[in-house]
């Protein structure tokens, strides 16, 4: 049974293709015509913005001094950037939420007062951290004015970083990251042979920058970021690099981040610090700092921007009160678009909002009456009684039914708003625009309904799984929803072969992760249960970990949140036998756990008899975060510095892997050592590097202030998406050449300098890092020019890949713990 959907705009009637609903009992009646447009079109348009550089001036126009200046500025930025600092920002957001938001009520109609209360409590909670930072910066500045004889600046900073405080472990991690940035700037300023302003300028300004930095973290937590997060990065990149930046902190390609891009927030902060340490125009520096400090505070940022929680709550309450679907959906559609910052070009274009609202209202109209919503809710409760502890008192309520409708519409709106095809609307007639939106919305509705309605309510073939389970918003009984959970918990048997075939965050295999973090014997098949989760707007993995009453969870510590893994299509197939439960997408397999997307899915393993390994001193990172982190797993990172013609490869050996090698060394089992090396390097770490070039290779180049290829926008002004692929090919060839050469150097190291490795492993830090550095590499300047060409205004036909004729023996250093900076 199908119906023809009609739309009218003014006096023009547009007929669309037939649409068959996804539901088994389809009695939806659209009638012969439905006028869902017709309220006119405004010219209000807003372009997407992201925190990355996408507009470039011609590189060839730079003179020698400008080029040197750009090279040195990017070198400072690369030294400042540290993934651990981005993680500390995310951890702060999670800690703020756990200590502040649960203590405040957020009822309808009190939004402004609610956000003022949040800000007041956040300021009080973070006051000890800000005071300690100010004291530390003053002490560093005093030392630099009057150095202690015989104590280097680096030693002084190391001692300061190791001092115990009364701060929380997360706050200590953040403080340590700030001191590390000071250390990086100080070392770079000493090395650069040109006139710089004193570093005290940067130190004094950092004290003023901390509050707005923390305010950005708090704003990101509750979805209140200003529309343009990086005006400072934009002006400074133009100043030093002759480039401009455009972007929205929430958008990444055509997908939407569940929370802020904490790495982007760090890059903006680093840009300011580098500016103060690098340039001698103090007046201009202060102006940039005042701009940053003067950004909207929490209360200002909250004005006229509804949260998705508010919009969803109002949607449910209005339908419960008996309102018809059309006006409720008409208010919900623009609220979702605005809250998620998707489809920005559509916001304010009333004809589009009206059309989508009318179409979606027709699609859900059958389940709006209580006699339909209540059975739907009861069906969901029946599925979730045991798995997610849904309360029996929800059986008589229709809330879960209306929430299923809201979730369905959210997914459709997100899908339509982020589809590249939607940009064609600008050049389309009204009739063509409506037809295009319908073509995008109806398939998206089928998919969204399959996610949010029990399978027995859907037509055969549209169900995502063999069983009639569904995704439910959690936590229950609270206005603020943090994530979704699947109502079925899977029993699983994990063989070594299955574990080694599935990848988790960072590109490592699930098998390697479990080997390093759990007490599982080689070759052992492990039984357990798998819990499934899905990210919504605002989801942090630490939120799921704290809310779930599952063995191993129920805590905010990172040793809990680090046990989630991406549920890709391959993982869902290999582990569950249910491929449609998996989600693939940009970086879905090897992405950063701190940059999850709305709709991305995860799983948590509840394993029988597999204990959690603990670092020997309760910490994986020295004196910071004691007791809050699992042991780390084997990892690799590379830095290609084109300014210095240097390449660095850093191999991290986990505590398990390093201990096995030391056992072989102590027994003079050189064949065993060679076998372990080959297994770790040739069979795992080098393939891990080559397969994840975009996230594991830092590029220091004046045309690459983004530092990592994963940060490049998909659309470049010149070459489009081909730019990223071409650059990735260049970088992959380089890293392959040097990683092949590094194997022989490491093997020789274990023959002649094995005691250094043993000594490093005996330190409190977890595991050992080996760093190989090649200096003065011939041929790097040609590759550097090639990258300028790729990101400039040249023809692909001009590109010829230069070759590195010979590679000298690298320097090799040993560092306790994991150290990639």
């Amino acid at each position: 049974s199908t119906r023809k959907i009609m739309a009218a705009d003014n006096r023009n009637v547009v007929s669309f293709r037939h649409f068959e609903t996804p539901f088994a009992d389809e009695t939806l009646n659209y009638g012969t015509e439905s006028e869902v447009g017709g309220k006119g079109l405004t010219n209000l348009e807003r372009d997407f913005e992201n925190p990355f550089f996408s507009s470039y001036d011609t590189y060839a126009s730079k003179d020698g001094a400008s080029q040197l200046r750009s090279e040195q500025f990017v070198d400072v930025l690369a030294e400042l950037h540290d993934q651990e600092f981005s993680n500390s920002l995310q951890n702060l957001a999670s800690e703020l939420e756990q200590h502040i938001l649960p203590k405040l009520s957020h009822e309808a109609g009190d939004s402004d007062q609610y956000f003022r209360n949040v800000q007041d409590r956040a300021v009080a909670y973070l006051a000890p951290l800000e005071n300690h930072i100010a004291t530390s910066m003053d002490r560093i500045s005093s030392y630099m004015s009057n150095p202690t004889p015989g104590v280097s600046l680096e030693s002084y900073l190391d001692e300061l970083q190791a001092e115990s405080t009364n701060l929380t472990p997360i706050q200590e991690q953040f403080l340590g990251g700030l001191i590390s940035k000071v250390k990086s700037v100080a070392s770079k300023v000493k090395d650069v042979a040109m006139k710089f302003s004193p570093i005290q300028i940067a130190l004094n300004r950092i004290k003023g920058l901390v509050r707005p930095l923390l305010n950005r973290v708090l704003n990101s937590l509750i979805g209140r970021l200003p529309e343009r997060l990086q005006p400072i990065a934009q002006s400074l990149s133009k100043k030093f690099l002759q480039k401009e930046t455009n972007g929205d902190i929430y958008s990444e390609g055509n997908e939407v981040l569940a929370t802020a891009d904490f790495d982007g927030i760090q890059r903006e902060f680093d840009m300011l610090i580098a500016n103060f340490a690098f340039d001698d125009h103090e007046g201009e520096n202060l102006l940039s700092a005042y701009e940053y400090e003067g950004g909207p505070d929490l209360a200002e940022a909250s004005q006229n921007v509804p949260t998705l929680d508010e919009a969803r709550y109002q949607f449910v309450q209005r339908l419960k009160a008996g309102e018809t679907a059309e006006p409720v959906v008409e208010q919900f559609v623009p609220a979702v678009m605005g809250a998620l910052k998707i489809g920005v070009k559509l916001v304010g274009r009333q004809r589009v909002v009206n059309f989508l609202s009318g179409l979606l209202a027709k699609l859900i109209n059958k389940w709006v009456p209580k006699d339909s919503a209540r059975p739907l809710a009861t069906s969901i409760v029946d599925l979730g009684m045991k798995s997610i502890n849904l309360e029996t008192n929800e059986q008589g309520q229709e809330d879960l039914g209306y929430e299923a409708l809201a979730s369905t519409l959210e997914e459709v709106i997100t899908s339509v708003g982020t589809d590249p095809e939607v940009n064609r609307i600008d050049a389309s007639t009204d009739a063509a625009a409506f037809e295009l939106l319908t073509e995008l919305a109806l398939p998206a509705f089928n998919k969204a309904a399959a996610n949010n309605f029990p399978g027995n309510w859907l037509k055969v073939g549209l169900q995502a799984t063999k069983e009639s389970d569904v995704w439910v918003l959690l936590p229950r009984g609270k206005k603020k929803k943090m994530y979704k959970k699947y109502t079925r918990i899977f029993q699983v048997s994990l063989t070594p072969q299955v574990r080694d075939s599935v990848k988790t965050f960072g590109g490592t295999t699930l098998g390697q992760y479990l080997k390093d973090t759990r007490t599982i014997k080689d070759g052992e098949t492990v039984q357990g249960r798998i819990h499934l989760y899905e990210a919504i707007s605002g989801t942090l993995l630490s939120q799921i970990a704290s809310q779930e009453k599952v063995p191993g969870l129920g805590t905010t510590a990172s040793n809990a949140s680090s046990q989630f893994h991406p549920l890709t299509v391959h993982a869902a197939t290999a582990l569950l036998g249910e491929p449609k439960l998996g989600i693939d997408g940009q970086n879905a397999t090897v992405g950063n756990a701190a940059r999850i997307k709305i709709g991305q899915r995860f799983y948590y393993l509840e394993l029988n008899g597999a204990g959690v390994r603990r670092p020997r001193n309760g910490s994986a990172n020295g004196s910071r975060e004691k007791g809050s982190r699992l042991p780390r797993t084997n990892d690799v990172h590379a830095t290609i510095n084109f300014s210095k013609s240097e390449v660095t490869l850093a191999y991290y050996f986990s505590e398990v892997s390093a201990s096995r090698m030391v056992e072989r060394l102590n027994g003079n089992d050189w064949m065993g050592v060679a076998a372990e090396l080959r297994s770790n390097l040739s069979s795992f770490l080098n393939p891990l590097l080559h397969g994840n070039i975009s996230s594991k290779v830092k590029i220091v180049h004046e045309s690459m202030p983004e530092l990592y290829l994963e940060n490049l926008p998909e659309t470049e002004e010149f070459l489009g998406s081909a730019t990223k692929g071409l650059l990735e090919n260049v970088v992959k060839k380089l890293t392959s050449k040097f990683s092949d050469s590094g194997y022989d150097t490491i093997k020789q190291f274990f023959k002649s300098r094995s005691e250094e490795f043993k000594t490093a492993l005996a330190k409190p830090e977890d595991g050992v890092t080996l760093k190989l550095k090649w200096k003065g590499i011939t041929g790097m300047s040609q590759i550097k020019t090639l990258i300028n060409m790729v990101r400039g205004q040249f023809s692909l036909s001009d590109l010829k890949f230069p070759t590195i004729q010979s590679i000298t023996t690298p320097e090799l250093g040993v560092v306790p713990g994991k150290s990639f900076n």
Side-chain angles (χ1 to χ4, degrees), residues 535-568:
I536 62 173
S537 176
T539 296
L540 295 170
L541 294 181
S542 56
Q543 292 173 329
I544 304 177
S546 66
Q547 293 293 322
E548 282 294 296
K549 306 307 179 187
V550 174
L553 300 181
T555 174
T556 59
S558 58
N559 63 359
S561 59
S562 63
Q563 295 183 67
F564 292 100
H565 309 279
L567 185 67
T568 61

Side-chain angles (χ1 to χ4, degrees), residues 447-591:
K447 184 177 179 181
N451 288 335
N452 297 287
F453 279 71
N456 58 345
W457 288 59
L458 304 171
K459 291 178 178 177
V460 175
L462 290 179
Q463 299 96 331
T465 67
K466 299 183 287 287
E467 304 293 335
S468 296
D469 289 282
V470 69
W471 299 89
V472 176
L473 285 165
L474 295 179
R476 304 305 306 159
K478 294 184 179 180
K479 184 176 181 180
K480 179 177 176 57
K481 305 302 181 186
M482 299 181 181
Y483 59 96
K484 289 182 180 180
K485 185 172 184 179
Y486 198 59
T487 54
R488 181 182 173 193
I489 299 174
F490 292 80
Q491 299 293 328
V492 65
S493 179
L494 290 178
T495 65
Q497 293 78 16
V498 168
R499 299 196 298 263
D500 290 340
S501 74
V502 177
K503 291 184 178 180
T504 185
F505 288 118
T508 191
T509 64
L510 179 63
Q512 182 67 47
Y513 171 87
L514 293 176
K515 183 187 300 183
D516 289 327
T517 62
R518 298 295 187 94
T519 56
I520 298 176
K521 297 178 182 178
D522 290 341
E524 180 182 5
T525 296
V526 185
Q527 309 297 323
R529 306 201 307 167
I530 292 185
H531 304 256
L532 307 185
Y533 305 93
E534 182 177 303
I536 62 173
S537 176
T539 296
L540 295 170
L541 294 181
S542 56
Q543 292 173 329
I544 304 177
S546 66
Q547 293 293 322
E548 282 294 296
K549 306 307 179 187
V550 174
L553 300 181
T555 174
T556 59
S558 58
N559 63 359
S561 59
S562 63
Q563 295 183 67
F564 292 100
H565 309 279
L567 185 67
T568 61
V569 172
H570 175 74
T573 304
L575 301 174
L576 313 174
E578 297 283 6
K580 287 188 176 181
L581 285 178
I583 294 290
D584 283 344
Q586 185 180 13
N587 295 331
T589 299
V590 299

Side-chain angles (χ1 to χ4, degrees), residues 712-725:
L712 288 185
E714 291 293 338
T715 55
E716 293 275 358
E717 284 189 1
F718 173 51
L719 293 179
S721 60
T723 298
K724 185 178 292 188

